Amino acid sequence: MRSKKILSLILVIIECLVFYLIYTAWHLNPPMFRQDLGLYIIYLFVMGHYSIKDSLIWDEIRKVFLATILYMITFAIIMPSTFEGVPRRYLIFLSTIMFFVDLFVSYFLRVIFRSVLSKKTLVVGTSETAYRYGCIVNDNKFAITEVVGFIDLNDPHYFQKQYEMSEELFYNRDAHHVFDYKNFDVVIKENDIDQIVIGEPELSGKDLNTILERSAKLVDSVKYMPEDYNLVNFSSEVQDFDGILLISTSKDTPSVFDRFWKRFFDILISLIGCLITAIMAIFVKISYIRHGDHDPIIFKQKRIGYRGKTITIYKFRTMIPHAEEKLEEMMKVNKDIREEYHKHKKLRYDPRVTPTGKSLRRSSIDEFPQFFNVLKGEMSLVGPRPYLPGEKAEMGDDYDVIIRCKPGITGMWQANGRSDLGFKERMKLDVYYYKNWNLWLDIIVIFKTLQATFTRKGAR
């Protein structure tokens, strides 16, 4: 706690110094400096910028962005008289510079003091969700959490139920420090664990209580993941009725304002995307012709759209002609291929993909023709994966949730692993998107998709 307060103080001092240097360079008067700086610091404080909590960079961007916008509105609209005599470009320049300075300094200090600030965390559970959580916080330098290891709950002496284990954790137990539940207390003491995260969403109520009671005696902070995002989401509200705890699970209906801006940006970006697609089509066609392939480059396929309506989506063809018939033949003669496709709805190393198709997939250029679907209103820039009609039965109850919003060119699964995620994990992320949708989430998904595309993470 003391380290966090010191870090917050350092953050304030550095930001004040930069603010002062900009003022000095602009030759502005000191009284205005004190007023400007005071309001800017207050806005950053109110938005939580100086509260050093465990979070990802996206949350920090939102805080600083809102504080910066509020600062600009104050002096440009609410208090324009205090801005007289100062060039308008100054406000934009100062706000833009401070926005990036705030983010850079916050990130830089977290990286430097990570070893001091980080909470040593033990994840209870070895599910795919638990493993993904561990990867996210350990790979993200902005987060101040260090996952030390995982606890395997498959112990018949303590739990009757058998829990699934991530393949990565199963085959690399030692590398990822997977411990048995019987050694729970010893692991916490030997590794100086600060907090416990229960990362097994499938826990029964009895097993969850068993772990919570044991954990509460060993650490001060215990977090757990909800079993179902239908039960807990960003709209949930905790209420106290004289000692009775109630959690509201209401789903906020998107406002007319939110729907307008989502559609506005869909149209704006899809117009640009359609123009780029038309230019790219020329080069894609040339590439196929060079490989002796003269078939059409646009692939059409029926998918499940908004409210279950069947739509035809467009993609650049990445496979050989008559690829679906070829798949049926492959599954008949190869058991492994059949099992892999039924589990993931795709093949990790698909022999049907053409040389040109491999390049298109790695760069996600094959998705560009879907901008025409967005322009037509059948899809959105961000949304759930457009599922195949044949996958409806396997979607189960999630089907009714996922079809409540338009499918997207990109979405939660593309931004969080792309082809590395299985079918069930993808559906969970799509349900999460619907339950927690807002404009800011769309912005995060777009940035993370671009990041995944440029780093080729999860590309096949």
Side-chain angles (χ1 to χ4, degrees):
M1 182 64 71
R2 185 176 180 182
S3 300
K4 290 183 179 180
K5 290 182 179 179
I6 294 174
L7 185 61
S8 297
L9 180 60
I10 295 174
L11 193 58
V12 172
I13 293 173
I14 294 177
E15 290 174 349
C16 289
L17 179 61
V18 173
F19 208 96
Y20 174 76
L21 291 174
I22 295 175
Y23 250 81
T24 303
W26 211 278
H27 303 293
L28 296 174
N29 58 73
M32 187 175 175
F33 164 74
R34 291 193 293 270
Q35 177 180 270
D36 277 16
L37 178 61
L39 276 174
Y40 190 66
I41 296 298
I42 288 173
Y43 290 153
L44 287 172
F45 178 80
V46 170
M47 293 301 168
H49 174 59
Y50 299 115
S51 177
I52 312 298
K53 294 182 178 179
D54 182 28
S55 61
L56 299 181
I57 187 67
W58 312 109
D59 190 44
E60 190 68 15
I61 291 175
R62 181 181 59 82
K63 294 175 184 177
V64 177
F65 177 77
L66 291 175
T68 304
I69 292 297
L70 193 57
Y71 170 78
M72 294 178 69
I73 291 174
T74 299
F75 285 99
I77 301 176
I78 301 176
M79 300 168 58
S81 59
T82 63
F83 201 64
E84 292 180 1
V86 179
R88 292 284 174 176
R89 64 181 181 275
Y90 156 74
L91 178 64
I92 299 174
F93 174 79
L94 176 63
S95 300
T96 303
I97 292 298
M98 289 308 300
F99 173 77
F100 288 105
V101 166
D102 293 340
L103 290 177
F104 176 77
V105 174
S106 180
Y107 178 84
F108 189 67
L109 290 176
R110 282 173 178 255
V111 172
I112 292 178
F113 294 98
R114 182 178 172 87
S115 59
V116 179
L117 295 171
S118 289
K119 285 185 176 181
K120 289 189 175 183
T121 303
L122 184 65
V123 178
V124 178
T126 53
S127 65
E128 211 46 72
T129 303
Y131 173 67
R132 199 163 70 85
Y133 168 77
C135 291
I136 290 172
V137 297
N138 281 348
D139 293 343
N140 194 298
K141 295 180 180 179
F142 190 84
I144 50 176
T145 297
E146 177 192 356
V147 172
V148 175
F150 302 83
I151 294 293
D152 184 1
L153 298 177
N154 291 303
D155 189 330
H157 294 290
Y158 296 93
F159 309 105
Q160 294 181 346
K161 184 178 177 180
Q162 288 292 305
Y163 296 101
E164 292 186 9
M165 180 179 287
S166 161
E167 290 184 7
E168 179 64 27
L169 294 179
F170 180 79
Y171 290 111
N172 299 281
R173 289 180 64 96
D174 294 336
H176 294 294
H177 304 289
V178 179
F179 305 99
D180 294 327
Y181 185 76
K182 63 181 180 182
N183 300 322
F184 192 47
D185 299 41
V186 177
V187 172
I188 290 175
K189 292 178 181 178
E190 290 183 348
N191 292 277
D192 296 322
I193 299 298
D194 298 308
Q195 72 172 359
I196 290 172
V197 172
I198 301 175
E200 179 50 75
E202 302 295 329
L203 274 175
S204 65
K206 181 180 179 181
D207 290 347
L208 176 60
N209 287 331
T210 299
I211 297 170
L212 285 173
E213 289 177 3
R214 192 172 182 182
S215 301
K217 301 174 183 177
L218 301 170
V219 296
D220 295 329
S221 175
V222 180
K223 300 177 182 179
Y224 71 94
M225 300 174 189
E227 178 183 359
D228 191 340
Y229 294 134
N230 291 323
L231 299 178
V232 181
N233 52 55
F234 286 152
S235 301
S236 298
E237 179 183 357
V238 179
Q239 297 175 300
D240 172 35
F241 278 78
D242 291 334
I244 299 175
L245 192 67
L246 296 181
I247 300 178
S248 166
T249 62
S250 62
K251 167 70 174 71
D252 288 340
T253 303
S255 65
V256 175
F257 175 82
D258 287 337
R259 291 198 298 270
F260 168 80
W261 280 110
K262 185 174 177 66
R263 183 57 185 154
F264 173 80
F265 284 116
D266 279 348
I267 294 173
L268 179 64
I269 296 175
S270 63
L271 285 171
I272 300 172
C274 288
L275 178 61
I276 296 173
T277 302
I279 297 172
M280 284 182 172
I282 299 173
F283 295 98
V284 173
K285 184 64 177 179
I286 293 173
S287 178
Y288 268 114
I289 292 175
R290 286 177 59 191
H291 288 90
D293 188 337
H294 297 274
D295 285 279
I297 61 169
I298 297 297
F299 172 72
K300 300 178 182 179
Q301 192 176 48
K302 299 294 183 182
R303 296 290 181 104
I304 300 173
Y306 180 54
R307 294 184 176 176
K309 180 183 177 181
T310 301
I311 61 173
T312 301
I313 68 165
Y314 311 110
K315 299 177 72 173
F316 282 129
R317 180 170 58 84
T318 60
M319 294 185 178
I320 59 175
H322 311 294
E324 294 183 3
E325 290 85 344
K326 181 65 176 178
L327 176 62
E328 293 295 331
E329 294 177 9
M330 291 163 53
M331 290 196 295
K332 287 179 180 178
V333 300
N334 192 312
K335 179 184 176 182
D336 293 335
I337 288 179
R338 183 169 63 253
E339 291 179 351
E340 181 183 353
Y341 186 79
H342 284 315
K343 181 178 180 181
H344 300 291
K345 301 306 173 188
K346 59 171 59 183
L347 302 178
R348 190 176 181 88
Y349 301 105
D350 199 326
R352 299 173 298 160
V353 179
T354 65
T356 299
K358 289 180 181 179
S359 299
L360 294 175
R361 287 189 171 195
R362 283 197 297 267
S363 58
S364 296
I365 292 176
D366 62 314
E367 308 285 351
F368 272 54
Q370 291 175 34
F371 281 116
F372 289 98
N373 292 108
V374 176
L375 193 59
K376 290 167 64 179
E378 298 172 332
M379 294 179 64
S380 180
L381 186 63
V382 181
R385 169 183 178 262
Y387 290 84
L388 291 164
E391 296 172 340
K392 180 178 177 180
E394 295 181 59
M395 292 172 71
D397 295 336
D398 291 335
Y399 170 82
D400 293 325
V401 176
I402 292 173
I403 63 170
R404 293 179 189 176
C405 47
K406 294 179 182 179
I409 294 180
T410 187
M412 290 291 292
W413 76 275
Q414 293 98 323
N416 293 277
R418 300 172 75 186
S419 296
D420 290 337
L421 299 177
F423 186 72
K424 290 184 178 180
E425 285 71 31
R426 280 181 258 159
M427 282 198 302
K428 285 182 179 180
L429 288 174
D430 286 338
V431 172
Y432 176 94
Y433 175 81
Y434 170 75
K435 291 292 181 180
N436 299 283
W437 178 82
N438 56 58
L439 289 174
W440 184 252
L441 181 58
D442 276 2
I443 293 172
I444 292 175
V445 168
I446 291 170
F447 274 104
K448 292 186 72 175
T449 300
L450 292 173
Q451 182 184 44
T453 301
F454 288 129
T455 59
R456 304 288 176 90
K457 181 180 179 182
R460 293 282 183 266

